[in-house]
Amino acid sequence: MEMFLDILVAVLLILGCLMSLIAGIGLLTFPDMLTRMHAATKPQVLGFLLIFAGLAIHLRSWAVVPLLLLAWGMQLLTAPVSAHMIGRSGYRTKHAAKDSLYADELKQIVDKVSSTPATGAIDVSSKQAEKTED
């Protein structure tokens, strides 16, 4: 049984490291920001799960399982959110290759927001004029 668990730990750790390696290779080889962002988030979360599962089996202690689940859960929650924010900012700053998109659903929203004036904006020139008159 001990030998089986050691082999299982080795397989899980190697697969987790391979997923992280695939993510790194994808960051270096993919052509545009959106595909690089996909490569950075998708395999990384699964790689962390495999590494944490191998670590939990290797340590053979129930005390570390909640901590590993918490760490993996935080990675699972933050990776998609950060990728979403990077994707939106990259789209707005013209770093995304828009000609390679199949459907550009964000274009209408960005055009609508950029065409409407900002509410609650303060006109600095009128405030300066008031101060000079006093």
Side-chain angles (χ1 to χ4, degrees):
M1 185 67 171
E2 188 81 21
M3 180 75 153
F4 172 74
L5 289 178
D6 286 341
I7 292 172
L8 180 63
V9 166
V11 167
L12 288 173
L13 289 176
I14 289 171
L15 286 175
C17 290
L18 282 175
M19 293 300 285
S20 296
L21 178 67
I22 289 169
I25 291 171
L27 282 173
L28 294 174
T29 59
F30 284 153
D32 63 338
M33 184 216 39
L34 295 176
T35 54
R36 286 182 188 151
M37 179 183 62
H38 179 79
T41 56
K42 301 299 181 194
Q44 192 67 18
V45 174
L46 179 60
F48 272 132
L49 176 64
L50 294 173
I51 290 173
F52 287 162
L55 184 62
I57 293 171
H58 176 70
L59 294 175
R60 292 182 179 90
S61 172
W62 285 102
V64 297
V65 172
L67 183 62
L68 293 174
L69 285 175
L70 178 67
W72 182 67
M74 293 304 292
Q75 179 70 23
L76 187 67
L77 290 174
T78 57
V81 172
S82 63
H84 178 77
M85 297 308 294
I86 289 170
R88 285 182 73 96
S89 66
Y91 183 90
R92 289 181 178 182
T93 58
K94 313 277 189 276
H95 285 91
K98 295 177 185 168
D99 55 336
S100 65
L101 295 176
Y102 177 73
D104 193 0
E105 298 170 351
L106 192 58
K107 183 177 183 345
Q108 295 172 350
I109 297 169
V110 170
D111 290 343
K112 181 180 178 183
V113 169
S114 63
S115 66
T116 59
T119 58
I122 299 172
D123 186 14
V124 178
S125 60
S126 64
K127 294 289 184 188
Q128 291 292 344
E130 289 175 7
K131 285 183 180 180
T132 57
E133 290 176 1
D134 291 337

